[in-house]
Amino acid sequence: MADVLKPERPVGIVGYGAYIPRYRLPAREIARIWRGTQEAEVLPVDQKSVPGPDEDTITMAIEAAENALMRAGIAPEVIRAVWIGSESHPYAVKPSGTIVAQALGITPNVSTADFEFACKAGTEAMQAGFGFVGGRMADYVLTIAMDTAQGRPGDALEYTAAAGGAAFVIGPAEHSLALLEGAFSYVTDTPDFFRRAHQLYPEHGHRFTGEPAYFHHIVHAAQKLMEGLQRRPPDYAAVVFHQPNTKFPFKVAKMLGFREEQVRTGLLAPFIGNTYAGASPLGLTAVLDLARPGDRILVVSFGSGAGSDALSFQVTERIEERRTRAPLTQTYIQRAKSIDYATYAKWRNKIVMH
Amino acid sequence: MMGIPGNWRLRKQRYQLAGTRCRDCGTIHFPPRQVCPRCKNRHLSDFKLSGKGTVYSYTTIYQTTPKFQFFVPYVVALIDLEEGPRITAQLTDVDPEAVTIGMPVEMVLRKISEQGERGLIHYGYKFRPRLR
């Protein structure tokens, strides 16, 4: 069996930060426009977060990263790489990382790159960060998972395609609030969801997105990591899965032998929707906000195309003083103003102006 | 409209509220100065403002140029920064009727405007009700 991914130098998360925009679009408001209000309707989430008209992946990444740097308590200049995972980079050509690193005071002695792997672009950047620090190329790396996802009007994905994400300062284990125990990545060519160049909205495989894509990849990544580390589901205080809706994380948890209580703290989709690359990293921040030293946390992302990264952490005593240095994820969740579909359509460029 | 070189030159002050501080009289300036307007000397150092402040006064914009039409209605405020300078900025993440004189605010980096669909995206400081 393939070995668990783990650098020789012990590494971990030194600081973390969340960001979720202020606005929410209730799922029933989308249903009102596109299918009428039906009796006993089952909607995938209660509401989704929507970026304000002056927000994008870059501005949101900056705020999450500021929070992560505040928790890490390190000077921006010691960060030697800024890697941003997203499927909604504002430019097709010009790295988001250049603007983010400049705004944070990290430039110019830094590597930056934008990562792309649908909803697992963020954990992909984290994996690279663990390797960069673990290989002693540098002591600190800033990785950011952020998205302002778009769903085609009237499509099933419009109910959930949301905005938000998280940032992590990756560093040496001796300064970490959560140690990386090991990681595992599992990837196949499975075209469950994709967007061609110059297209505004993605295409997806409807029912195909579940079994051979989401469930297959998450289950294999999680099982191989737990086997390699000789861990079992009861060893974990919490588990965070990619969360395209409310149902899938509970279902995959059951398949792997986790209880619902282990999933609940990191399951934010019912309140903010699917933040794509931001989803499982943001769930991890909500878990860290409440974690106790010694807790083990399993994070398993899923990115369409398709693949999963599984990451196993153990929380250290440094969590206690660092978590209060920046706003908690719940602060952003509760900072919520509902908008109607017309406002959403105006802000999200769905009105043709010519 | 400001071009690419102009935006590039102003990136530190727009992204980070980078001003100057007079080493002789201690006055802090924003935008940054070459000469201290108080004591007229040139002994200035770079100084990054904290971005915390309060609303001195404000107005709500309903009629604007096409560049800002997606933000209407929006509030433009005079903000007294904690370190002294008073600056003009757009408020964000706030309903106009909720804005009050003396309201504590903090800087956030947001999109200011775009040079059309093909051009540069301009980022810069705005202020919102204090969260951090």
Side-chain angles (χ1 to χ4, degrees), chain A residues 19 54-56 59 62-63 66-67 91 102-103 105 327 335 337 346, chain B residues 11 16 70 72 92-93 95 109-111 120-121 123 126 128 131-132:
Chain A
Y19 183 74
D54 58 359
E55 295 188 284
D56 62 18
T59 66
I62 288 166
E63 181 155 346
E66 285 170 346
N67 290 336
Y91 287 93
Q102 182 82 46
R335 183 189 73 133
K337 177 184 166 65
K346 176 185 167 191
Chain B
R11 66 187 195 262
Q16 296 184 295
F70 283 90
V72 168
T92 188
D93 286 357
D95 303 327
L109 195 74
R110 293 294 171 91
K111 276 197 290 189
L120 197 69
I121 304 169
Y123 296 94
K126 294 188 183 181
R128 71 164 177 213
L131 182 74
R132 297 189 282 190

PDB file of all heavy atoms in Angstrom, chain A residues 19 54-56 59 62-63 66-67 91 102-103 105 327 335 337 346, chain B residues 11 16 70 72 92-93 95 109-111 120-121 123 126 128 131-132:
ATOM      1  N   TYR A  19     -12.921  33.640   6.462  1.00  0.00           N
ATOM      2  CA  TYR A  19     -13.685  34.788   5.960  1.00  0.00           C
ATOM      3  C   TYR A  19     -14.941  34.305   5.257  1.00  0.00           C
ATOM      4  O   TYR A  19     -14.886  33.382   4.433  1.00  0.00           O
ATOM      5  CB  TYR A  19     -12.887  35.672   4.995  1.00  0.00           C
ATOM      6  CG  TYR A  19     -13.719  36.867   4.600  1.00  0.00           C
ATOM      7  CD1 TYR A  19     -13.926  37.903   5.504  1.00  0.00           C
ATOM      8  CD2 TYR A  19     -14.397  36.912   3.382  1.00  0.00           C
ATOM      9  CE1 TYR A  19     -14.759  38.972   5.196  1.00  0.00           C
ATOM     10  CE2 TYR A  19     -15.225  37.985   3.060  1.00  0.00           C
ATOM     11  CZ  TYR A  19     -15.400  39.011   3.970  1.00  0.00           C
ATOM     12  OH  TYR A  19     -16.241  40.054   3.671  1.00  0.00           O
ATOM     13  N   ASP A  54     -18.292  44.555  -4.084  1.00  0.00           N
ATOM     14  CA  ASP A  54     -16.878  44.951  -4.135  1.00  0.00           C
ATOM     15  C   ASP A  54     -15.955  43.851  -3.619  1.00  0.00           C
ATOM     16  O   ASP A  54     -14.817  44.124  -3.257  1.00  0.00           O
ATOM     17  CB  ASP A  54     -16.660  46.251  -3.336  1.00  0.00           C
ATOM     18  CG  ASP A  54     -17.077  46.128  -1.879  1.00  0.00           C
ATOM     19  OD1 ASP A  54     -17.548  45.039  -1.478  1.00  0.00           O
ATOM     20  OD2 ASP A  54     -16.941  47.124  -1.147  1.00  0.00           O
ATOM     21  N   GLU A  55     -16.456  42.608  -3.584  1.00  0.00           N
ATOM     22  CA  GLU A  55     -15.631  41.514  -3.087  1.00  0.00           C
ATOM     23  C   GLU A  55     -15.314  40.519  -4.202  1.00  0.00           C
ATOM     24  O   GLU A  55     -16.117  40.313  -5.115  1.00  0.00           O
ATOM     25  CB  GLU A  55     -16.356  40.771  -1.961  1.00  0.00           C
ATOM     26  CG  GLU A  55     -16.561  41.639  -0.732  1.00  0.00           C
ATOM     27  CD  GLU A  55     -17.103  40.847   0.435  1.00  0.00           C
ATOM     28  OE1 GLU A  55     -18.307  40.516   0.435  1.00  0.00           O
ATOM     29  OE2 GLU A  55     -16.328  40.548   1.352  1.00  0.00           O
ATOM     30  N   ASP A  56     -14.147  39.903  -4.094  1.00  0.00           N
ATOM     31  CA  ASP A  56     -13.797  38.778  -4.958  1.00  0.00           C
ATOM     32  C   ASP A  56     -12.836  37.872  -4.194  1.00  0.00           C
ATOM     33  O   ASP A  56     -12.563  38.111  -3.001  1.00  0.00           O
ATOM     34  CB  ASP A  56     -13.233  39.251  -6.308  1.00  0.00           C
ATOM     35  CG  ASP A  56     -11.938  40.042  -6.186  1.00  0.00           C
ATOM     36  OD1 ASP A  56     -11.270  39.954  -5.133  1.00  0.00           O
ATOM     37  OD2 ASP A  56     -11.577  40.750  -7.141  1.00  0.00           O
ATOM     38  N   THR A  59      -9.930  39.871  -2.451  1.00  0.00           N
ATOM     39  CA  THR A  59     -10.226  40.664  -1.240  1.00  0.00           C
ATOM     40  C   THR A  59     -10.561  39.750  -0.063  1.00  0.00           C
ATOM     41  O   THR A  59     -10.185  40.019   1.076  1.00  0.00           O
ATOM     42  CB  THR A  59     -11.380  41.655  -1.472  1.00  0.00           C
ATOM     43  OG1 THR A  59     -12.602  40.943  -1.704  1.00  0.00           O
ATOM     44  CG2 THR A  59     -11.111  42.569  -2.651  1.00  0.00           C
ATOM     45  N   ILE A  62      -7.460  38.111   1.356  1.00  0.00           N
ATOM     46  CA  ILE A  62      -6.665  39.031   2.176  1.00  0.00           C
ATOM     47  C   ILE A  62      -7.190  39.064   3.610  1.00  0.00           C
ATOM     48  O   ILE A  62      -6.423  38.975   4.572  1.00  0.00           O
ATOM     49  CB  ILE A  62      -6.650  40.442   1.537  1.00  0.00           C
ATOM     50  CG1 ILE A  62      -5.785  40.422   0.277  1.00  0.00           C
ATOM     51  CG2 ILE A  62      -6.151  41.501   2.528  1.00  0.00           C
ATOM     52  CD1 ILE A  62      -5.957  41.629  -0.625  1.00  0.00           C
ATOM     53  N   GLU A  63      -8.506  39.144   3.776  1.00  0.00           N
ATOM     54  CA  GLU A  63      -9.027  39.206   5.154  1.00  0.00           C
ATOM     55  C   GLU A  63      -8.784  37.901   5.912  1.00  0.00           C
ATOM     56  O   GLU A  63      -8.388  37.912   7.084  1.00  0.00           O
ATOM     57  CB  GLU A  63     -10.516  39.576   5.172  1.00  0.00           C
ATOM     58  CG  GLU A  63     -11.029  39.649   6.606  1.00  0.00           C
ATOM     59  CD  GLU A  63     -12.241  40.537   6.806  1.00  0.00           C
ATOM     60  OE1 GLU A  63     -12.556  41.331   5.903  1.00  0.00           O
ATOM     61  OE2 GLU A  63     -12.869  40.435   7.867  1.00  0.00           O
ATOM     62  N   GLU A  66      -5.154  37.864   6.855  1.00  0.00           N
ATOM     63  CA  GLU A  66      -4.869  38.771   7.987  1.00  0.00           C
ATOM     64  C   GLU A  66      -5.214  38.081   9.305  1.00  0.00           C
ATOM     65  O   GLU A  66      -4.470  38.171  10.286  1.00  0.00           O
ATOM     66  CB  GLU A  66      -5.682  40.066   7.851  1.00  0.00           C
ATOM     67  CG  GLU A  66      -5.153  41.007   6.786  1.00  0.00           C
ATOM     68  CD  GLU A  66      -6.092  42.169   6.503  1.00  0.00           C
ATOM     69  OE1 GLU A  66      -7.280  42.132   6.934  1.00  0.00           O
ATOM     70  OE2 GLU A  66      -5.659  43.115   5.840  1.00  0.00           O
ATOM     71  N   ASN A  67      -6.350  37.394   9.323  1.00  0.00           N
ATOM     72  CA  ASN A  67      -6.749  36.677  10.542  1.00  0.00           C
ATOM     73  C   ASN A  67      -5.748  35.569  10.880  1.00  0.00           C
ATOM     74  O   ASN A  67      -5.413  35.361  12.049  1.00  0.00           O
ATOM     75  CB  ASN A  67      -8.156  36.094  10.377  1.00  0.00           C
ATOM     76  CG  ASN A  67      -9.226  37.166  10.345  1.00  0.00           C
ATOM     77  OD1 ASN A  67      -9.014  38.267  10.866  1.00  0.00           O
ATOM     78  ND2 ASN A  67     -10.366  36.877   9.741  1.00  0.00           N
ATOM     79  N   TYR A  91      -8.488  37.116 -12.166  1.00  0.00           N
ATOM     80  CA  TYR A  91      -7.824  37.196 -13.463  1.00  0.00           C
ATOM     81  C   TYR A  91      -7.588  35.791 -14.014  1.00  0.00           C
ATOM     82  O   TYR A  91      -7.251  34.871 -13.262  1.00  0.00           O
ATOM     83  CB  TYR A  91      -6.452  37.858 -13.324  1.00  0.00           C
ATOM     84  CG  TYR A  91      -6.464  39.353 -13.081  1.00  0.00           C
ATOM     85  CD1 TYR A  91      -6.442  39.861 -11.783  1.00  0.00           C
ATOM     86  CD2 TYR A  91      -6.469  40.246 -14.142  1.00  0.00           C
ATOM     87  CE1 TYR A  91      -6.428  41.236 -11.558  1.00  0.00           C
ATOM     88  CE2 TYR A  91      -6.448  41.615 -13.927  1.00  0.00           C
ATOM     89  CZ  TYR A  91      -6.432  42.101 -12.636  1.00  0.00           C
ATOM     90  OH  TYR A  91      -6.401  43.463 -12.420  1.00  0.00           O
ATOM     91  N   GLN A 102       1.223  41.449  -1.765  1.00  0.00           N
ATOM     92  CA  GLN A 102       1.537  42.886  -1.679  1.00  0.00           C
ATOM     93  C   GLN A 102       0.718  43.543  -0.578  1.00  0.00           C
ATOM     94  O   GLN A 102       1.239  44.302   0.244  1.00  0.00           O
ATOM     95  CB  GLN A 102       1.233  43.563  -3.025  1.00  0.00           C
ATOM     96  CG  GLN A 102       1.554  45.051  -3.072  1.00  0.00           C
ATOM     97  CD  GLN A 102       3.024  45.317  -3.332  1.00  0.00           C
ATOM     98  OE1 GLN A 102       3.621  44.714  -4.208  1.00  0.00           O
ATOM     99  NE2 GLN A 102       3.626  46.223  -2.567  1.00  0.00           N
ATOM    100  N   ALA A 103      -0.582  43.262  -0.544  1.00  0.00           N
ATOM    101  CA  ALA A 103      -1.461  43.888   0.437  1.00  0.00           C
ATOM    102  C   ALA A 103      -1.100  43.490   1.867  1.00  0.00           C
ATOM    103  O   ALA A 103      -1.290  44.260   2.803  1.00  0.00           O
ATOM    104  CB  ALA A 103      -2.915  43.518   0.142  1.00  0.00           C
ATOM    105  N   GLY A 105       1.895  42.858   2.970  1.00  0.00           N
ATOM    106  CA  GLY A 105       3.249  43.260   3.337  1.00  0.00           C
ATOM    107  C   GLY A 105       4.251  42.125   3.261  1.00  0.00           C
ATOM    108  O   GLY A 105       5.286  42.159   3.917  1.00  0.00           O
ATOM    109  N   PRO A 327     -11.245  37.076  14.689  1.00  0.00           N
ATOM    110  CA  PRO A 327     -12.667  36.708  14.788  1.00  0.00           C
ATOM    111  C   PRO A 327     -12.889  35.206  14.577  1.00  0.00           C
ATOM    112  O   PRO A 327     -12.261  34.585  13.715  1.00  0.00           O
ATOM    113  CB  PRO A 327     -13.325  37.509  13.660  1.00  0.00           C
ATOM    114  CG  PRO A 327     -12.383  38.610  13.357  1.00  0.00           C
ATOM    115  CD  PRO A 327     -11.010  38.092  13.647  1.00  0.00           C
ATOM    116  N   ARG A 335     -22.788  37.189  11.151  1.00  0.00           N
ATOM    117  CA  ARG A 335     -22.839  38.517  10.526  1.00  0.00           C
ATOM    118  C   ARG A 335     -23.551  38.358   9.180  1.00  0.00           C
ATOM    119  O   ARG A 335     -22.941  38.328   8.134  1.00  0.00           O
ATOM    120  CB  ARG A 335     -21.400  39.026  10.325  1.00  0.00           C
ATOM    121  CG  ARG A 335     -21.296  40.422   9.763  1.00  0.00           C
ATOM    122  CD  ARG A 335     -19.856  40.734   9.400  1.00  0.00           C
ATOM    123  NE  ARG A 335     -19.406  40.046   8.201  1.00  0.00           N
ATOM    124  CZ  ARG A 335     -18.742  40.609   7.195  1.00  0.00           C
ATOM    125  NH1 ARG A 335     -18.443  41.882   7.252  1.00  0.00           N
ATOM    126  NH2 ARG A 335     -18.352  39.908   6.144  1.00  0.00           N
ATOM    127  N   LYS A 337     -26.803  39.200   6.442  1.00  0.00           N
ATOM    128  CA  LYS A 337     -27.942  39.994   5.977  1.00  0.00           C
ATOM    129  C   LYS A 337     -28.529  39.306   4.743  1.00  0.00           C
ATOM    130  O   LYS A 337     -27.822  39.097   3.757  1.00  0.00           O
ATOM    131  CB  LYS A 337     -27.482  41.413   5.611  1.00  0.00           C
ATOM    132  CG  LYS A 337     -28.601  42.287   5.053  1.00  0.00           C
ATOM    133  CD  LYS A 337     -28.056  43.641   4.619  1.00  0.00           C
ATOM    134  CE  LYS A 337     -29.044  44.401   3.748  1.00  0.00           C
ATOM    135  NZ  LYS A 337     -30.278  44.803   4.407  1.00  0.00           N
ATOM    136  N   LYS A 346     -28.121  41.349  -9.648  1.00  0.00           N
ATOM    137  CA  LYS A 346     -27.396  42.587  -9.972  1.00  0.00           C
ATOM    138  C   LYS A 346     -25.932  42.473  -9.565  1.00  0.00           C
ATOM    139  O   LYS A 346     -25.034  42.773 -10.358  1.00  0.00           O
ATOM    140  CB  LYS A 346     -28.063  43.754  -9.239  1.00  0.00           C
ATOM    141  CG  LYS A 346     -27.375  45.098  -9.397  1.00  0.00           C
ATOM    142  CD  LYS A 346     -28.052  46.149  -8.532  1.00  0.00           C
ATOM    143  CE  LYS A 346     -27.222  47.408  -8.419  1.00  0.00           C
ATOM    144  NZ  LYS A 346     -27.717  48.333  -7.400  1.00  0.00           N
TER     145      LYS A 346
ATOM    146  N   ARG B  11       0.101  51.783  -4.922  1.00  0.00           N
ATOM    147  CA  ARG B  11      -0.390  50.532  -4.360  1.00  0.00           C
ATOM    148  C   ARG B  11      -0.159  50.409  -2.860  1.00  0.00           C
ATOM    149  O   ARG B  11      -1.009  49.885  -2.151  1.00  0.00           O
ATOM    150  CB  ARG B  11       0.166  49.325  -5.115  1.00  0.00           C
ATOM    151  CG  ARG B  11       1.652  49.125  -4.989  1.00  0.00           C
ATOM    152  CD  ARG B  11       2.107  47.991  -5.915  1.00  0.00           C
ATOM    153  NE  ARG B  11       3.434  47.533  -5.576  1.00  0.00           N
ATOM    154  CZ  ARG B  11       4.553  47.914  -6.181  1.00  0.00           C
ATOM    155  NH1 ARG B  11       4.490  48.753  -7.189  1.00  0.00           N
ATOM    156  NH2 ARG B  11       5.721  47.459  -5.804  1.00  0.00           N
ATOM    157  N   GLN B  16      -2.384  49.327   1.901  1.00  0.00           N
ATOM    158  CA  GLN B  16      -1.936  49.170   3.291  1.00  0.00           C
ATOM    159  C   GLN B  16      -2.066  50.432   4.124  1.00  0.00           C
ATOM    160  O   GLN B  16      -1.581  50.455   5.248  1.00  0.00           O
ATOM    161  CB  GLN B  16      -0.458  48.752   3.306  1.00  0.00           C
ATOM    162  CG  GLN B  16      -0.195  47.404   2.684  1.00  0.00           C
ATOM    163  CD  GLN B  16       1.272  47.048   2.839  1.00  0.00           C
ATOM    164  OE1 GLN B  16       2.150  47.700   2.287  1.00  0.00           O
ATOM    165  NE2 GLN B  16       1.550  46.018   3.615  1.00  0.00           N
ATOM    166  N   PHE B  70     -23.143  49.647  -9.531  1.00  0.00           N
ATOM    167  CA  PHE B  70     -23.520  48.412  -8.832  1.00  0.00           C
ATOM    168  C   PHE B  70     -23.497  48.578  -7.313  1.00  0.00           C
ATOM    169  O   PHE B  70     -24.005  47.740  -6.588  1.00  0.00           O
ATOM    170  CB  PHE B  70     -22.613  47.253  -9.253  1.00  0.00           C
ATOM    171  CG  PHE B  70     -22.974  46.697 -10.588  1.00  0.00           C
ATOM    172  CD1 PHE B  70     -22.400  47.192 -11.741  1.00  0.00           C
ATOM    173  CD2 PHE B  70     -23.946  45.704 -10.695  1.00  0.00           C
ATOM    174  CE1 PHE B  70     -22.770  46.694 -12.981  1.00  0.00           C
ATOM    175  CE2 PHE B  70     -24.314  45.201 -11.936  1.00  0.00           C
ATOM    176  CZ  PHE B  70     -23.731  45.694 -13.090  1.00  0.00           C
ATOM    177  N   VAL B  72     -24.707  51.386  -5.701  1.00  0.00           N
ATOM    178  CA  VAL B  72     -25.731  52.341  -5.262  1.00  0.00           C
ATOM    179  C   VAL B  72     -26.846  51.631  -4.489  1.00  0.00           C
ATOM    180  O   VAL B  72     -27.285  50.564  -4.917  1.00  0.00           O
ATOM    181  CB  VAL B  72     -26.324  53.068  -6.499  1.00  0.00           C
ATOM    182  CG1 VAL B  72     -27.581  53.848  -6.136  1.00  0.00           C
ATOM    183  CG2 VAL B  72     -25.277  53.994  -7.111  1.00  0.00           C
ATOM    184  N   THR B  92     -18.456  50.150   3.406  1.00  0.00           N
ATOM    185  CA  THR B  92     -18.952  48.921   2.796  1.00  0.00           C
ATOM    186  C   THR B  92     -19.495  47.997   3.879  1.00  0.00           C
ATOM    187  O   THR B  92     -19.239  48.209   5.067  1.00  0.00           O
ATOM    188  CB  THR B  92     -17.844  48.241   1.955  1.00  0.00           C
ATOM    189  OG1 THR B  92     -18.416  47.157   1.225  1.00  0.00           O
ATOM    190  CG2 THR B  92     -16.706  47.714   2.829  1.00  0.00           C
ATOM    191  N   ASP B  93     -20.252  46.995   3.447  1.00  0.00           N
ATOM    192  CA  ASP B  93     -20.868  46.028   4.376  1.00  0.00           C
ATOM    193  C   ASP B  93     -21.710  46.732   5.433  1.00  0.00           C
ATOM    194  O   ASP B  93     -21.729  46.326   6.601  1.00  0.00           O
ATOM    195  CB  ASP B  93     -19.793  45.172   5.065  1.00  0.00           C
ATOM    196  CG  ASP B  93     -19.207  44.136   4.128  1.00  0.00           C
ATOM    197  OD1 ASP B  93     -19.667  44.049   2.972  1.00  0.00           O
ATOM    198  OD2 ASP B  93     -18.290  43.414   4.550  1.00  0.00           O
ATOM    199  N   ASP B  95     -25.597  49.118   5.826  1.00  0.00           N
ATOM    200  CA  ASP B  95     -26.755  49.754   5.207  1.00  0.00           C
ATOM    201  C   ASP B  95     -26.683  51.254   5.490  1.00  0.00           C
ATOM    202  O   ASP B  95     -26.392  51.648   6.623  1.00  0.00           O
ATOM    203  CB  ASP B  95     -28.044  49.169   5.781  1.00  0.00           C
ATOM    204  CG  ASP B  95     -28.092  47.658   5.585  1.00  0.00           C
ATOM    205  OD1 ASP B  95     -27.559  47.191   4.568  1.00  0.00           O
ATOM    206  OD2 ASP B  95     -28.630  46.959   6.463  1.00  0.00           O
ATOM    207  N   LEU B 109      -9.764  45.848   2.509  1.00  0.00           N
ATOM    208  CA  LEU B 109      -9.365  46.037   1.116  1.00  0.00           C
ATOM    209  C   LEU B 109     -10.461  45.486   0.216  1.00  0.00           C
ATOM    210  O   LEU B 109     -10.857  44.329   0.362  1.00  0.00           O
ATOM    211  CB  LEU B 109      -8.036  45.336   0.835  1.00  0.00           C
ATOM    212  CG  LEU B 109      -7.407  45.814  -0.469  1.00  0.00           C
ATOM    213  CD1 LEU B 109      -6.819  47.207  -0.296  1.00  0.00           C
ATOM    214  CD2 LEU B 109      -6.321  44.876  -0.938  1.00  0.00           C
ATOM    215  N   ARG B 110     -10.948  46.314  -0.688  1.00  0.00           N
ATOM    216  CA  ARG B 110     -12.036  45.897  -1.568  1.00  0.00           C
ATOM    217  C   ARG B 110     -11.762  46.363  -2.997  1.00  0.00           C
ATOM    218  O   ARG B 110     -10.876  47.162  -3.240  1.00  0.00           O
ATOM    219  CB  ARG B 110     -13.370  46.504  -1.079  1.00  0.00           C
ATOM    220  CG  ARG B 110     -13.829  45.951   0.265  1.00  0.00           C
ATOM    221  CD  ARG B 110     -14.176  44.483   0.177  1.00  0.00           C
ATOM    222  NE  ARG B 110     -14.426  43.883   1.476  1.00  0.00           N
ATOM    223  CZ  ARG B 110     -15.627  43.816   2.068  1.00  0.00           C
ATOM    224  NH1 ARG B 110     -16.672  44.344   1.482  1.00  0.00           N
ATOM    225  NH2 ARG B 110     -15.750  43.221   3.229  1.00  0.00           N
ATOM    226  N   LYS B 111     -12.613  45.864  -3.909  1.00  0.00           N
ATOM    227  CA  LYS B 111     -12.560  46.353  -5.285  1.00  0.00           C
ATOM    228  C   LYS B 111     -13.119  47.783  -5.291  1.00  0.00           C
ATOM    229  O   LYS B 111     -14.213  48.022  -4.786  1.00  0.00           O
ATOM    230  CB  LYS B 111     -13.433  45.488  -6.193  1.00  0.00           C
ATOM    231  CG  LYS B 111     -12.771  44.248  -6.693  1.00  0.00           C
ATOM    232  CD  LYS B 111     -13.501  43.649  -7.882  1.00  0.00           C
ATOM    233  CE  LYS B 111     -14.845  43.059  -7.502  1.00  0.00           C
ATOM    234  NZ  LYS B 111     -15.457  42.286  -8.592  1.00  0.00           N
ATOM    235  N   LEU B 120      -7.795  46.495 -15.979  1.00  0.00           N
ATOM    236  CA  LEU B 120      -7.300  46.227 -14.632  1.00  0.00           C
ATOM    237  C   LEU B 120      -8.443  46.327 -13.607  1.00  0.00           C
ATOM    238  O   LEU B 120      -9.366  47.113 -13.766  1.00  0.00           O
ATOM    239  CB  LEU B 120      -6.238  47.282 -14.314  1.00  0.00           C
ATOM    240  CG  LEU B 120      -5.289  47.014 -13.161  1.00  0.00           C
ATOM    241  CD1 LEU B 120      -4.346  45.873 -13.523  1.00  0.00           C
ATOM    242  CD2 LEU B 120      -4.482  48.280 -12.857  1.00  0.00           C
ATOM    243  N   ILE B 121      -8.331  45.520 -12.570  1.00  0.00           N
ATOM    244  CA  ILE B 121      -9.223  45.649 -11.413  1.00  0.00           C
ATOM    245  C   ILE B 121      -8.487  46.502 -10.381  1.00  0.00           C
ATOM    246  O   ILE B 121      -7.347  46.191 -10.032  1.00  0.00           O
ATOM    247  CB  ILE B 121      -9.559  44.265 -10.814  1.00  0.00           C
ATOM    248  CG1 ILE B 121     -10.159  43.348 -11.879  1.00  0.00           C
ATOM    249  CG2 ILE B 121     -10.508  44.421  -9.634  1.00  0.00           C
ATOM    250  CD1 ILE B 121     -10.274  41.887 -11.447  1.00  0.00           C
ATOM    251  N   TYR B 123      -7.978  47.785  -6.684  1.00  0.00           N
ATOM    252  CA  TYR B 123      -8.277  47.477  -5.283  1.00  0.00           C
ATOM    253  C   TYR B 123      -7.823  48.644  -4.413  1.00  0.00           C
ATOM    254  O   TYR B 123      -6.852  49.325  -4.752  1.00  0.00           O
ATOM    255  CB  TYR B 123      -7.541  46.201  -4.841  1.00  0.00           C
ATOM    256  CG  TYR B 123      -7.986  44.957  -5.594  1.00  0.00           C
ATOM    257  CD1 TYR B 123      -7.303  44.525  -6.730  1.00  0.00           C
ATOM    258  CD2 TYR B 123      -9.096  44.232  -5.171  1.00  0.00           C
ATOM    259  CE1 TYR B 123      -7.708  43.396  -7.428  1.00  0.00           C
ATOM    260  CE2 TYR B 123      -9.507  43.100  -5.861  1.00  0.00           C
ATOM    261  CZ  TYR B 123      -8.807  42.687  -6.991  1.00  0.00           C
ATOM    262  OH  TYR B 123      -9.219  41.575  -7.670  1.00  0.00           O
ATOM    263  N   LYS B 126     -11.455  50.556   1.841  1.00  0.00           N
ATOM    264  CA  LYS B 126     -12.783  51.037   2.211  1.00  0.00           C
ATOM    265  C   LYS B 126     -12.884  50.804   3.708  1.00  0.00           C
ATOM    266  O   LYS B 126     -11.976  50.231   4.319  1.00  0.00           O
ATOM    267  CB  LYS B 126     -13.880  50.258   1.470  1.00  0.00           C
ATOM    268  CG  LYS B 126     -13.883  50.484  -0.040  1.00  0.00           C
ATOM    269  CD  LYS B 126     -15.097  49.844  -0.693  1.00  0.00           C
ATOM    270  CE  LYS B 126     -15.042  50.032  -2.220  1.00  0.00           C
ATOM    271  NZ  LYS B 126     -16.239  49.426  -2.872  1.00  0.00           N
ATOM    272  N   ARG B 128     -15.535  49.570   7.065  1.00  0.00           N
ATOM    273  CA  ARG B 128     -16.797  48.921   7.452  1.00  0.00           C
ATOM    274  C   ARG B 128     -16.942  49.033   8.973  1.00  0.00           C
ATOM    275  O   ARG B 128     -15.957  49.308   9.680  1.00  0.00           O
ATOM    276  CB  ARG B 128     -16.784  47.456   7.030  1.00  0.00           C
ATOM    277  CG  ARG B 128     -15.828  46.651   7.868  1.00  0.00           C
ATOM    278  CD  ARG B 128     -16.034  45.151   7.759  1.00  0.00           C
ATOM    279  NE  ARG B 128     -14.999  44.497   8.551  1.00  0.00           N
ATOM    280  CZ  ARG B 128     -14.436  43.329   8.256  1.00  0.00           C
ATOM    281  NH1 ARG B 128     -14.819  42.667   7.194  1.00  0.00           N
ATOM    282  NH2 ARG B 128     -13.517  42.832   9.054  1.00  0.00           N
ATOM    283  N   LEU B 131     -15.215  45.098  13.236  1.00  0.00           N
ATOM    284  CA  LEU B 131     -15.467  43.676  13.532  1.00  0.00           C
ATOM    285  C   LEU B 131     -14.289  43.083  14.291  1.00  0.00           C
ATOM    286  O   LEU B 131     -14.442  42.152  15.069  1.00  0.00           O
ATOM    287  CB  LEU B 131     -15.656  42.934  12.202  1.00  0.00           C
ATOM    288  CG  LEU B 131     -15.971  41.451  12.230  1.00  0.00           C
ATOM    289  CD1 LEU B 131     -17.417  41.229  12.657  1.00  0.00           C
ATOM    290  CD2 LEU B 131     -15.752  40.822  10.859  1.00  0.00           C
ATOM    291  N   ARG B 132     -13.077  43.616  14.051  1.00  0.00           N
ATOM    292  CA  ARG B 132     -11.874  43.005  14.633  1.00  0.00           C
ATOM    293  C   ARG B 132     -11.233  43.934  15.653  1.00  0.00           C
ATOM    294  O   ARG B 132     -11.349  45.139  15.553  1.00  0.00           O
ATOM    295  CB  ARG B 132     -10.854  42.694  13.526  1.00  0.00           C
ATOM    296  CG  ARG B 132     -11.392  41.684  12.554  1.00  0.00           C
ATOM    297  CD  ARG B 132     -10.337  41.208  11.602  1.00  0.00           C
ATOM    298  NE  ARG B 132     -10.081  42.164  10.553  1.00  0.00           N
ATOM    299  CZ  ARG B 132      -9.336  41.908   9.481  1.00  0.00           C
ATOM    300  NH1 ARG B 132      -8.796  40.737   9.318  1.00  0.00           N
ATOM    301  NH2 ARG B 132      -9.135  42.824   8.556  1.00  0.00           N
TER     302      ARG B 132
END
